Amino acid sequence: MNVILVTGGAGFIGSNYIRLFLQTNKDDKVINYDKLTYAGNIENIQDLDSNPRYCFVKGDICDEKHFTKIIKEYDPDYVINFAAESHVDRSIDDPSIFGDTNIMGTLNILQCLKNFWKKSNDQNKKFLQISTDEVYGSLENDDDSFTESSLLMPNSPYSASKAGADLMVRAFVKTYGFPAMITRCSNNYGPFQNAEKFIPSCIIKALKDEAITIYGDGTNIREWIHVNDHCAAITKVLLKGKLGEVYNIGSGDEVSNIEMARLILKHLGKETGRIEKITDRPGHDRRYALDSKKIAGELDWKCSYQLEKGIKETISWYQNNRAWWDK
Ligand code: NAD
Ligand code: TDX
């Protein structure tokens, strides 16, 4: 039996991860360590409350004393860090908490684990940092894609803070031989995603017959991956990945924002729904696209979701779970 400590497991990806992990790894136990910020919602993982292999601990990754206490108490084999401030627009309005949580919080986790794991002298411990394609910056033409060795050229306070965390993980690997890996995934969609993000905002606005708001001309492109495909890739990396390595995770499904808005309206049978172009996001990255050959070749991973089917299922989830988002 392995014990996995997941930080940020009450958020969108973390909650989907824990559910899927417990379903597919029948002997393992998960500790969910989450501060429950505005983005953390205990309802996301309420169905797991009665599972004896799951336990929730309220806590802040920046709190050295408390995080160390929990690490000592549960002695996890693996730690996966999902906890972060995750919304680009919020980082533009107020970058400081992005530095605190994403950089300093990750550094705190690294220091606590390094100290504790050194003492326990256990060779099987692993840390996985959940990062993003946004650390590579923006692609200006339609052919390129980012590999794991592309330069880090982040453009928003959010992506700069995630890049800062990635570099700190790298430094711990190189300097202390710390047993860490990093995954960098493209834009996720699926159930339990906060309404502030693009796909839920399109679905919710369309359901309410409000105008979908598109930043700028709507031609910015994102590579969309279903959250369960991301989660399956994370477990592959956790169990089979090579320590010290970075793995990109992408679907190859690139869609412009305006096309995505139209696709959502089409599936809702609201083709005539309104789309309103509004002032562009400052520093708005033009296009993200990942080269995911490394994880496909070395770890035998591939996506299982077809984009339109995944979007349709996601729309149904928001239709069937109105109480979750309509507060
Ligand atoms: P989210 O905002 O939905 O969830 C973040 C979670 O972290 C919340 O439960 C929140 O309460 C918790 N948290 C925040 N600060 C904390 C702290 N100081 N201590 C403990 N917990 C804290 O985010 P998400 O979309 O689920 O993203 C999860 C991770 O995946 C992030 O690291 C993000 O950068 C990364 N990522 C996200 C995407 C995406 O498309 N959403 C893509 C690639 C990578
Ligand atoms: O109302 C909107 N209108 C709009 O045109 C919103 C909220 C967004 N957009 C655009 C901006 C982006 O081009 O849609 C695209 C997607 O926006 P977000 O959902 O805010 O995602 P993005 O900025 O691409 O970042 C996301 O993917 C990478 C996550 O929020 C990050 O946590 C992750 O690292």
Side-chain angles (χ1 to χ4, degrees):
M1 185 197 75
N2 287 312
V3 176
I4 322 252
L5 186 133
V6 166
T7 68
F12 163 48
I13 304 175
S15 62
N16 280 289
Y17 183 78
I18 294 173
R19 186 172 298 105
L20 195 67
F21 184 87
L22 288 171
Q23 274 164 18
T24 48
N25 297 271
K26 300 281 184 208
D27 297 324
D28 297 341
K29 188 173 172 181
V30 175
I31 318 301
N32 178 8
Y33 188 88
D34 197 297
K35 185 181 175 183
L36 297 182
T37 68
Y38 82 94
N41 184 347
I42 205 77
E43 286 174 32
N44 296 1
I45 24 125
Q46 220 165 26
D47 54 313
L48 299 178
D49 273 353
S50 57
N51 188 326
R53 295 187 292 120
Y54 169 77
C55 117
F56 178 76
V57 177
K58 186 169 183 211
D60 186 339
I61 58 166
C62 300
D63 183 341
E64 185 192 338
K65 247 175 127 176
H66 186 248
F67 188 75
T68 301
K69 177 177 167 283
I70 296 303
I71 290 296
K72 284 185 177 161
E73 190 175 328
Y74 292 99
D75 190 14
D77 301 285
Y78 309 138
V79 174
I80 311 179
N81 183 28
F82 290 91
E85 288 295 329
S86 69
H87 193 39
V88 173
D89 292 329
R90 285 178 187 262
S91 81
I92 294 167
D93 292 343
D94 181 7
S96 58
I97 192 164
F98 286 73
D100 294 344
T101 298
N102 298 359
I103 304 177
M104 298 312 291
T106 304
L107 175 57
N108 185 49
I109 293 176
L110 292 168
Q111 282 188 295
C112 294
L113 291 178
K114 176 170 90 66
N115 293 339
F116 182 59
W117 285 350
K118 199 167 124 197
K119 278 185 202 135
S120 69
N121 202 18
D122 186 332
Q123 303 297 308
N124 298 316
K125 306 286 192 190
K126 291 182 199 175
F127 171 75
L128 179 56
Q129 172 71 2
I130 305 301
S131 187
T132 168
D133 57 359
E134 298 197 19
V135 297
Y136 297 121
S138 180
L139 291 164
E140 296 310 317
N141 63 54
D142 289 345
D143 316 318
D144 289 350
S145 56
F146 294 118
T147 70
E148 288 81 356
S149 48
S150 294
L151 286 178
L152 301 194
M153 301 272 276
N155 294 315
S156 72
Y158 162 72
S159 53
S161 68
K162 292 295 290 185
D166 284 14
L167 293 177
M168 204 54 90
V169 174
R170 177 189 159 88
F172 268 61
V173 170
K174 297 285 175 191
T175 309
Y176 308 113
F178 186 77
M181 296 173 284
I182 298 172
T183 55
R184 295 189 181 132
C185 189
S186 62
N187 283 59
N188 285 219
Y189 69 92
F192 299 105
Q193 187 168 29
N194 193 297
E196 70 190 356
K197 303 289 170 30
F198 183 59
I199 287 186
S201 89
C202 290
I203 298 171
I204 290 168
K205 281 175 179 152
L207 287 172
K208 290 179 158 179
D209 288 319
E210 291 172 8
I212 289 178
T213 52
I214 298 276
Y215 300 158
D217 63 7
T219 58
N220 301 67
I221 291 170
R222 296 293 181 265
E223 181 180 352
W224 291 103
I225 183 170
H226 192 280
V227 64
N228 284 348
D229 276 332
H230 182 193
C231 292
I234 290 170
T235 299
K236 278 262 178 186
V237 173
L238 183 72
L239 301 179
K240 305 254 186 272
K242 204 168 147 214
L243 292 179
E245 294 290 314
V246 176
Y247 294 91
N248 285 346
I249 305 169
S251 62
D253 288 325
E254 291 184 46
V255 186
S256 73
N257 294 337
I258 192 100
E259 283 171 328
M260 181 56 80
R262 288 193 186 121
L263 183 70
I264 289 167
L265 287 172
K266 183 184 98 178
H267 284 305
L268 279 167
K270 297 192 177 201
E271 279 87 347
T272 53
R274 278 181 304 141
I275 294 179
E276 189 184 332
K277 291 183 179 159
I278 61 169
T279 311
D280 208 356
R281 173 186 277 175
H284 195 174
D285 285 336
R286 177 109 231 109
R287 172 173 169 257
Y288 303 137
L290 289 173
D291 177 329
S292 305
K293 286 196 209 63
K294 180 173 170 179
I295 187 168
E298 291 181 16
L299 303 184
D300 192 27
W301 171 85
K302 64 175 190 318
C303 274
S304 63
Y305 279 77
Q306 192 269 334
L307 181 70
E308 266 203 64
K309 191 168 169 277
I311 294 290
K312 261 169 115 170
E313 281 178 25
T314 304
I315 292 171
S316 299
W317 188 87
Y318 281 87
Q319 283 176 312
N320 296 332
N321 290 277
R322 196 170 182 120
W324 183 85
W325 54 265
D326 200 7
K327 296 219 169 88

